[in-house]
Amino acid sequence: METLLAELKAHGAAATVHAHPAVLTSEEAEAHIGGLPGAHIKNLLVSDKKHGVFLITMLTERRVDMKAVARALSLAGANLRFCDKEALKAHLGVEQGALSPLALANDADGKVTFVLDDGVLKHESVLAHPLVNTATLSLPTAALVAYATRHGHAPKTLDFDALAAAPPPAAPAVKADGPAKGAGASNGGGGGKGSAAAAKGETGLSLQNSKESDFTAWYTEVILKSEMIEYYDISGCYILRPWSFTIWDSIRDFLDALIKTLGVQNCYFPLFISKSALEAEKDHVEGFAPEVAWVTKSGDGDLAEPIAVRPTSETIMYPAYAKWIRSHRDLPLKLNQWNNVVRWEFKYPTPFLRSREFLWQEGHTAHATKAEADKEVLQVLDFYRRVYEELLAVPVIKGTKTDKEKFAGGDYTTTVEGFIAHTGRGIQGATSHCLGQNFGKMFKIEFEDERSEKQIPWQNSWGLTTRTIGVMVMTHSDNKGLVLPPRVAPIQLVVVPIPKKGADAEVFAKAEEVAAMLQAAGVRTTCDTRANYTPGWKYSHWELKGVPLRLEIGVNDLAKRQATLVRRDTGDKCEVPMPTLLQKVALLLVELQHDLLARATRERDERIKRVLTWAEFVPTLDGKCMALTPFCNETEWEDKVKELSREESLKRTDEAAEDVRTSTSVAAKTLCIPHDQPELPAGTPCFVSGKPAKCWVLWGRSY
Amino acid sequence: METLLAELKAHGAAATVHAHPAVLTSEEAEAHIGGLPGAHIKNLLVSDKKHGVFLITMLTERRVDMKAVARALSLAGANLRFCDKEALKAHLGVEQGALSPLALANDADGKVTFVLDDGVLKHESVLAHPLVNTATLSLPTAALVAYATRHGHAPKTLDFDALAAAPPPAAPAVKADGPAKGAGASNGGGGGKGSAAAAKGETGLSLQNSKESDFTAWYTEVILKSEMIEYYDISGCYILRPWSFTIWDSIRDFLDALIKTLGVQNCYFPLFISKSALEAEKDHVEGFAPEVAWVTKSGDGDLAEPIAVRPTSETIMYPAYAKWIRSHRDLPLKLNQWNNVVRWEFKYPTPFLRSREFLWQEGHTAHATKAEADKEVLQVLDFYRRVYEELLAVPVIKGTKTDKEKFAGGDYTTTVEGFIAHTGRGIQGATSHCLGQNFGKMFKIEFEDERSEKQIPWQNSWGLTTRTIGVMVMTHSDNKGLVLPPRVAPIQLVVVPIPKKGADAEVFAKAEEVAAMLQAAGVRTTCDTRANYTPGWKYSHWELKGVPLRLEIGVNDLAKRQATLVRRDTGDKCEVPMPTLLQKVALLLVELQHDLLARATRERDERIKRVLTWAEFVPTLDGKCMALTPFCNETEWEDKVKELSREESLKRTDEAAEDVRTSTSVAAKTLCIPHDQPELPAGTPCFVSGKPAKCWVLWGRSY
């Protein structure tokens, strides 16, 4: 590294060294350098027998499959595969995790081709490992390019934006967000039948990735192109655009009304926690401490003591509870807040599912008796189920977490567990905790009961986050883009007029009249009257955004006093006489909502397998299923399953080496002990320990 | 200080020194030690010829007048006055700002009596100046007490909680929050006429401070006792309890619907800003930098680069705007978010009015033309006026800020200005800014207009905060507590049954029936059926909480098929026949809302004085009025007025030395250039410079 730094210095490049613990992946590195300005890059060494070795350096947020890269590099028939540790060492002389363009100097005979993401060049500086994986160098981007060029590796730059936006190989490249100018006239009449498919090629609005072939890239593309999310220059933080935030508002309205039926009141507690308050409950602070963000400065000055940004508000709220709760008459105390929390996670961030700041509601209640607290835990859990099932059309399984997986500092945790069929992974939907009297003891919350005796109240806390939106997207959306359940869709129906020379005015007027009628009847409707886009472009655009219903009106429809309705989820079309239109729309919205849940439930149910022996366990997970097993419910055995399943998975998946390298989550974990328990005959052995099973437990790989 | 530390060490007291710049008041000290755990204290040296010298040490949040302290210390006829610098030096050998119980060692002949707030003893540690005002010592509370005792100053402890809650001197002390047990039977019948006043003495619910005698203490007491606010252990952060948060929710619902009529959409941007983005607009960052809180650590590790917590979101949002805005078709872009922001202010914090974290909405829009932007600025400003006037019944004056007072980095700022009659101070209500093209240039936001030419959009930003609630409280509330305008009152009407032996069941049943009827008709109603409180206690309780209407039902009312309605604002009572009750309630709610605004407008208008010469200026402010003056509108002269008015005020107010010591805000500042301008005859001279006046400007002392 010293030589490298000396060389950079000699060429006038100002480089700053950021030391950190050894890292093996760019994801791990981000945990340490996440806040640094400049281009954050990942570096892939890939090769192909025919075409040689490539170092591909791109922005960390890119999700590009190697086939697209090969196409863009015009490597006909290339099958680019990741180089293993040994090849990495042999080609570029560095260990795993230390790869960066700075290692190109070690390729003296110029075997490696350097491919650089154009996007990197848009940043003034770039972050790269200086031949070791225990530090990151921040240096001017121009200096990095100069360095590579000096060492005979002038970069081949590639437009990764175009790569992501490009249409399938057959069609010519078109700008993704541009209108198909002047194409309008060629596209009128005929009610638009069959034109949607044809339009795709013209519009460039189709997705580059498919749900089946690269789920992660597909997800990213869907939420970006539908305008739900925008990326942000601080890793793990995302912008919620109106298209997703409106959904969060719907969830908020729905859930807020439900919790108010329990007498819960909204309030607002501060964002910041003093160190001493945060540390009042030992298990709790241990659970959260590694992820806490600390404010230590204001303006130019240091704060006397660091202040934590809330990861959750137990330790903020309960000192006040100790003040407010004196008598049994002060109970139950039921407060809730809708707010933002920060958990500086080190895992790879994913929009909605795992972000460093997220929105949620957190309810915190205190009760005179355990029975009351227990009852509320389940009432709220059922509200959470209703958010998923009734609003988002996502099926969930209610259950209780094992001791190993419960909330830090609480008595027990109940959960609604979702399932992403395409990856075969479970996902925690929302949790409702009984905290017991632990926090009460730590925060000295006491009340006098009716016999004037001091008691400690029973407390609950429960929360539901913006993760809900991510689970919904993953569940319903398809290779045309987002599919939104009607109850939360910001727009439920889009009216698209089909212009025809000489009849434009009439068609547009009718379209607006119908839209106004539906809007007045309470259907969230928009009429897309933009003159500079073709109907085909509009179809693709609104499909990408997931609008549940499309209503097409053309000249023929005018004559027949009808319109054509198209379902986003199935593509089913029907012609509807105008007088029955409103009722038909109302019916379709309800049917579509119902069908989404039914379909997702079917897909999920097919993937729950009863597993009675260890031998079946990992193969079940590999088959993208969850395993329902009889289990002894001992933490020691739970740890063992995690470890054994990981080892066994790694053995089985040599080919998926890339996935394994970047993820430890091939291990199985308990999702929950489902509340709906099948019969468990006495003496049924635990599937792993052979001891008598205590209950059925649902296992899976998970997010 | 060294000797002191050595002594503490010798006695086994673990003390930590926190060095900071010299401070003159506890308020200034808080700017540096605000985040430290332990008791934060203020120390007052007061004396009285008859009774001697007292060092009074209390928690910083206490608002206790010296008369109450004198009473509690049984100092008959005492008139405790603050000691000046010289006396401070003579008695305790320390300079201004360095006072703490640690200075008691310098009072070798024991002339000073040490009075200690009980509340301090509830903290394990305490923060005290070690004889100098350039450091604060954190030491165990027990060690401080031991130290004082060793030096012959064992503390006289005083229950400041009881002090604040105690009834007026005439009545015997009763616990503030306890019910008047068993007093129910003596209080029945007769429709409760005249019983409210009598009940006060019994209940201890009356306020200790009056709006006229100590406005600050009164305000604090009102928001605490009405359960709007709870204090928090981080200085400048407050808990918004349901009683105030519900009002914020009402404001949100009202304003959100209004801004949506302009096509504004809600969204959510991250809490954090990278350093480079924050610094992109020079004037802007200069305006906010001193107040920015910085996150520098996560878990145990340091972040590579500090990350700012948003003080406002211009620099967070506009890089995304640069990405989204390409064509004139992408305009206007109108986004809004309801969120929390952090400004680590060094001024004395006041709940609602000035807190380090607060809630607000911030709208950020971009337009193709200046005309469009200008128009929206005023539309939104009028929405803000409507929030104040229609919802909160608080009159405001619409105007434009002078260049000196405008938003950092913007073109011009419009404002709605409120006025607190009891203190004679103006208060900025909410602001709507035209940012011009400055941010557009800095963030490279560009669009192609219809002739395919590059243009920079015109941007606005506008915000309204939880400060609204504080202004409302200060405007309407009285010496019985809060007065809430019906439109935002969480409860609009409370039904209080007047029990009478033998007829309780009947009275309670009727009360609940009436409450249910009103509730069903949309009146936010509660029925106070608690058996362990007297009607008189209930009257005081709901008056303290500001519920607009009270409905009393007694046995006599049952017989006459009527009920008694009492207005919170005026105390007016009327007997209403049951069949007309609903309409009467509906009328009174509207009348009360109207009257509050009318009254406040009258009081405000009486305090706007036209001032044509400098000689009248400061006397007008001293008369608790605002001055409307012809002004040359030059920043140089605005600075001069600020300086001159401060000097002149200080000369005039020798007696109010205490106030002057802790506040620089006796200076006048421009509140706004009112949009409603009186005629300004050509050649009218500026009241201060004598140059030709350009406009009428409203001046005042302000919050």
Side-chain angles (χ1 to χ4, degrees), chain B residues 254-264 334 379 383 386:
Chain B
F254 179 82
L255 181 59
D256 203 61
L258 287 176
I259 62 180
K260 278 181 178 154
T261 65
L262 300 182
V264 176
K334 302 185 177 188
Q379 284 174 317
F383 293 161
R386 292 179 62 186

Side-chain angles (χ1 to χ4, degrees), chain B residues 411-477:
Chain B
D411 256 18
Y412 65 89
T413 290
T414 66
T415 176
V416 288
E417 293 286 320
F419 178 69
I420 307 301
H422 277 81
T423 58
R425 286 181 184 270
I427 183 159
Q428 179 177 302
T431 47
S432 177
H433 316 290
C434 180
L435 303 178
Q437 296 177 309
N438 311 337
F439 284 88
K441 282 175 198 156
M442 295 309 145
F443 288 95
K444 303 194 175 66
I445 311 179
E446 282 182 350
F447 69 97
E448 239 177 43
D449 68 12
E450 286 167 3
R451 291 157 309 179
S452 294
E453 279 168 25
K454 291 273 180 203
Q455 302 284 356
I456 295 168
W458 294 81
Q459 291 180 265
N460 295 336
S461 75
W462 27 271
L464 177 129
T465 78
T466 33
R467 160 175 283 201
T468 42
I469 301 173
V471 177
M472 176 198 74
V473 172
M474 288 185 167
T475 302
H476 304 305
S477 303

Side-chain angles (χ1 to χ4, degrees), chain A residues 448-523:
Chain A
E448 239 177 42
D449 68 12
E450 285 167 1
R451 289 157 311 178
S452 294
E453 279 168 24
K454 290 274 181 206
Q455 302 284 357
I456 295 168
W458 292 81
Q459 291 180 267
N460 295 336
S461 75
W462 27 270
L464 177 129
T465 79
T466 33
R467 160 174 283 200
T468 42
I469 300 172
V471 177
M472 177 198 74
V473 171
M474 288 186 167
T475 302
H476 304 306
S477 302
D478 61 22
N479 291 332
K480 290 191 207 166
L482 213 54
V483 175
L484 292 175
R487 287 193 67 174
V488 296
I491 296 175
Q492 295 173 312
L493 182 144
V494 57
V495 179
V496 180
I498 320 285
K500 179 159 187 175
K501 240 181 191 162
D504 277 17
E506 212 183 334
V507 170
F508 274 70
K510 189 68 188 176
E512 290 192 350
E513 180 197 319
V514 170
M517 181 273 288
L518 292 171
Q519 185 73 45
V523 179

